[in-house]
Amino acid sequence: MKISSSLIAILATVTVAVQAGHTGGIPNSHVSSAKHARLSRNDVRVDAPPVKLSRRKSCKPKVKTNAAGAPPPAQSSPTASHSKPPPAASSAPASKPPPSGDSSSSDTSSGGGLIEGLIKVASFGDCGSSGATKEITATSGPNGNIDFLNCGLTEGGWTPPFVKVSDIVSAELSQVAYNPKSAFTACKDFVWAFEKYGEQYGVPAILLASFAMQESSCNSSTIGGAGEQGLMQITQDKCGGAPNGNCRDIDFNIHAGAKFFSQTLNDNGGNLLLSIGQYNGWHNGLTYGEATAAAHKGNCHWQNNLDYLHQFLNGWVQDVNAYQHNPPLGKYFNLKSCGN
C-alpha cells in the first residue's frame, strides 16, 4: 500500500506540471516564431555585407501634416529656397555705382526719346564733374557736359575722361528707329545690318547707327570731302574686298565701320570717348589749333568737328537729331564756316 500511495502522489504531481505548461507558460507557436525571427536577423548580420551609414545631403526632411492630414504649403519647407530661383531684385549687383549727379535714379533703360538716368562717371581727375543733366541743352545732356567730354582741348590738349560703353545712357535702336518721329528714321532700312555687326563685334547697334547719322545722315551714297565712303564714311584704305569695288555697299560699309570701331575700342582699353573721337580723327593731346588748322589751308571739311562728342552722345545716342535740335547742340560749330 505504501508503494501504491507514493506512485499515486508522483502521478498527481506530473499531471499538475503538464497542466501548468498549457495555462501559464509561453505557447509553443510563439516560441517557434520568435526563434525564427532571431535566426532571420542573425542571417542578415552574418551573410549580408555590412551597411555603411552616412548623412545624405540630398535627403529631404519628413513632411509634417496639419490637423486635417494635409501637408503644409510648399514654401514652408526648408528646401524651398534651394528649389526656386531667388527673386529678381536680389540678382542685381550690390556694388553697381549710382548714376553721377543723381543718386535717386539709376534707370538707364531705353525706349525712345530722352532716356532717364545719367552717365555713371561722376567726375574724372582734372576734368572735374561730368556736368551731366537729364535735360538735353546746347552744351550738356545725360552723358555729360561738352567741356567734360572735350576735357583739355582748349588748354594743353585733349585728355578724354575714361568712360566705358556700359557707363553711358542710350536708347535701343530697334525700339526707336521705326518711330516716324525718331532721329533714326533714315536708318530704319539698315537696322538689320547695324544689329548684325553690332552683335558680331560687341558694339551696341545704337552706336553704329549714330556714327552713320553723324557722318552721313544715314545716306549710303555719301562721299566725304576727303573721299570717305558711304553710311559709315570709311576711308579708302578700308575698302579692300568691297563687292565689285563698291565701298558704299550697305552690308560691306557697315561691316567695315563696325570692325574698325571695335578694334579701336579694344586698342584703347575700352575708353569710349577716345574711340569715338578717333573715328572723327581726334587723338590724345589734340588742341583747338590742330583741330581747326585745315580751315586755313583750303581744306575746311578736313577739320575735326569740335562738337562731335556732344552731338554724338547727347544727341544721336539719345534718339535726338543732333542737327535739328533747338537750341543747336554744341559751342564751337567750326564746320559751319565750310558751307555745303
Side-chain angles (χ1 to χ4, degrees):
M1 291 297 291
K2 290 181 179 180
I3 295 174
S4 298
S5 299
S6 299
L7 181 59
I8 290 172
I10 292 171
L11 291 174
T13 302
V14 171
T15 299
V16 172
V18 171
Q19 289 175 346
H22 288 288
T23 58
I26 300 174
N28 290 337
S29 62
H30 288 193
V31 173
S32 176
S33 64
K35 178 180 179 181
H36 284 293
R38 289 195 298 272
L39 288 177
S40 177
R41 288 196 295 271
N42 289 337
D43 287 341
V44 171
R45 289 196 298 269
V46 173
D47 299 331
V51 178
K52 295 182 179 180
L53 301 178
S54 62
R55 186 184 299 277
R56 295 179 57 192
K57 296 181 180 179
S58 60
C59 286
K60 296 182 179 180
K62 182 177 179 181
V63 178
K64 298 181 181 180
T65 58
N66 55 25
Q75 61 268 25
S76 66
S77 168
T79 62
S81 61
H82 297 286
S83 61
K84 297 181 180 180
S90 65
S91 62
S95 60
K96 183 178 180 181
S100 64
D102 182 7
S103 60
S104 64
S105 173
S106 60
D107 182 9
T108 58
S109 61
S110 60
L114 182 61
I115 309 303
E116 291 185 3
L118 302 175
I119 189 172
K120 294 185 177 67
V121 179
S123 62
F124 186 83
D126 295 336
C127 299
S129 169
S130 71
T133 58
K134 287 186 177 181
E135 181 183 359
I136 296 174
T137 72
T139 58
S140 68
N143 285 319
N145 187 279
I146 191 171
D147 292 331
F148 176 77
L149 302 175
N150 290 9
C151 179
L153 180 69
T154 58
E155 299 171 359
W158 185 48
T159 54
F162 189 87
V163 173
K164 304 186 300 296
V165 171
S166 58
D167 291 329
I168 65 169
V169 180
S170 67
E172 185 74 29
L173 182 63
S174 62
Q175 294 183 14
V176 299
Y178 303 107
N179 185 331
K181 296 182 179 181
S182 172
F184 292 96
T185 52
C187 291
K188 65 181 180 180
D189 292 336
F190 315 127
V191 169
W192 63 271
F194 292 124
E195 292 190 331
K196 173 184 176 181
Y197 293 114
E199 181 176 356
Q200 179 174 336
Y201 289 103
V203 177
I206 191 75
L207 295 185
L208 299 180
S210 294
F211 280 121
M213 287 301 303
Q214 182 79 10
E215 297 285 338
S216 69
S217 295
C218 233
N219 183 345
S220 62
S221 63
T222 300
I223 299 178
E228 300 91 349
Q229 299 288 304
L231 291 169
M232 307 298 285
Q233 287 291 277
I234 60 177
T235 51
Q236 292 286 347
D237 61 296
K238 301 177 182 65
C239 292
N244 300 315
N246 181 14
C247 198
R248 297 188 296 278
D249 175 84
I250 302 298
D251 187 81
F252 177 86
N253 196 271
I254 294 177
H255 184 189
K259 181 179 180 180
F260 170 72
F261 182 68
S262 175
Q263 290 176 338
T264 301
L265 189 63
N266 184 65
D267 291 343
N268 290 329
N271 189 326
L272 180 63
L273 299 189
L274 178 58
S275 302
I276 293 174
Q278 286 181 343
Y279 203 98
N280 189 242
W282 294 38
H283 61 82
N284 252 322
L286 177 72
T287 65
Y288 179 89
E290 286 182 90
T292 59
H296 311 293
K297 297 179 180 180
N299 297 306
C300 190
H301 289 284
W302 290 18
Q303 291 184 89
N304 303 109
N305 176 2
L306 298 183
D307 299 308
Y308 195 91
L309 289 168
H310 176 48
Q311 292 171 347
F312 189 97
L313 289 167
N314 290 319
W316 303 116
V317 169
Q318 308 304 317
D319 189 28
V320 169
N321 192 313
Y323 298 146
Q324 297 178 3
H325 187 269
N326 187 20
L329 299 184
K331 64 185 269 186
Y332 299 97
F333 306 109
N334 58 303
L335 293 182
K336 284 191 175 183
S337 63
C338 300
N340 294 325

